[in-house]
Amino acid sequence: MNIGIYIYENAEVLDFAGPFEVFSTAKRLVAKNWNIFLLAETMEPIAARGGFNVLPDYCFNDHPPIDVLIVVGGDHTEEIHKSHVINWIRTIDKTAMQVVSVCTGVFLLAQANLLNNLFVTTHWEDIPDLIYRFPTLNVIEDKRWVTDGKYTTSGGISAGIDMSLHLVAKLHSTVLAEQVAHQMEYRWKQCP
């Protein structure tokens, strides 16, 4: 199973590093056939929040098929207006079995018209803007993550880790998710 985490300039570090740690720990413990990777528009280094530089493993033109797409949050204000990024997300959505966002990554999924009339969430600070910009979404304000069909959206940073553990449970087992949380010395909030 290929798990692709989409990163971009000014992405929130734990929005991608948290899920990466969860899924790579699951792979190390049990899920040997999981392939977890970071991808971006190009192979150029990405300057995430705080000047944290990271190199993607793949770019839009050269990545394996994606079974689980994770779109992270951060400063999405420029990213949401890149038509080639939005079109790429739409293309991946057609074949991905799970499409996920952490924090403000939901804005990119909404811009791609993937979430109309679905239940979603995001970081508490961005909920008013999400409601204003995308009135067809059913925005939930008091949950760390929300699943509606193949789409799962979460609040920011640590909520993305909880959601990723939820996905490990969904894709493999609750036992593995609990083992991953224990290995990471993380107190998993299993209820959204």
Side-chain angles (χ1 to χ4, degrees):
M1 180 167 47
N2 291 323
I3 302 168
I5 304 172
Y6 177 59
I7 57 173
Y8 50 89
E9 292 294 310
N10 290 308
E12 186 67 54
V13 175
L14 271 181
D15 282 8
F16 63 85
F20 187 92
E21 183 70 18
V22 168
F23 288 109
S24 63
T25 300
K27 175 180 180 159
R28 183 166 38 99
L29 293 176
V30 174
K32 305 298 183 193
N33 66 335
W34 288 7
N35 178 28
I36 304 95
F37 53 87
L38 301 176
L39 64 129
E41 286 181 71
T42 70
M43 294 300 292
E44 296 297 314
I46 297 293
R49 285 262 172 104
F52 186 91
N53 292 311
V54 61
L55 293 173
D57 299 300
Y58 297 101
C59 66
F60 283 1
N61 298 326
D62 180 27
H63 63 76
I66 297 172
D67 300 302
V68 178
L69 173 65
I70 302 171
V71 178
V72 302
D75 184 354
H76 62 283
T77 52
E78 288 184 31
E79 207 66 20
I80 199 171
H81 297 293
K82 295 180 178 177
S83 60
H84 60 285
V85 169
I86 301 305
N87 288 333
W88 176 81
I89 290 171
R90 280 190 196 114
T91 300
I92 300 304
D93 175 70
K94 291 175 185 172
T95 56
M97 61 184 205
Q98 296 287 316
V99 177
V100 176
S101 68
V102 180
C103 193
T104 55
V106 70
F107 283 81
L108 279 73
L109 300 183
Q111 186 72 14
N113 291 315
L114 302 179
L115 304 176
N116 293 332
N117 303 310
L118 298 184
F119 291 95
V120 300
T121 197
T122 190
H123 189 279
W124 61 266
E125 190 174 39
D126 298 291
I127 283 178
D129 189 36
L130 185 64
I131 292 169
Y132 175 76
R133 292 182 72 165
F134 300 100
T136 63
L137 305 183
N138 295 306
V139 181
I140 306 297
E141 298 189 35
D142 60 348
K143 300 286 184 189
R144 291 178 64 75
W145 73 87
V146 173
T147 297
D148 195 336
K150 75 173 189 176
Y151 302 98
T152 302
T153 56
S154 79
I157 307 175
S158 66
I161 295 172
D162 287 330
M163 177 202 58
S164 296
L165 288 162
H166 164 75
L167 288 171
V168 168
K170 185 175 184 176
L171 297 169
H172 191 280
S173 68
T174 301
V175 170
L176 178 57
E178 289 169 345
Q179 290 172 338
V180 169
H182 181 68
Q183 182 67 34
M184 293 173 55
E185 295 192 1
Y186 182 79
R187 289 190 180 140
W188 177 29
K189 294 182 174 96
Q190 294 188 34
C191 295

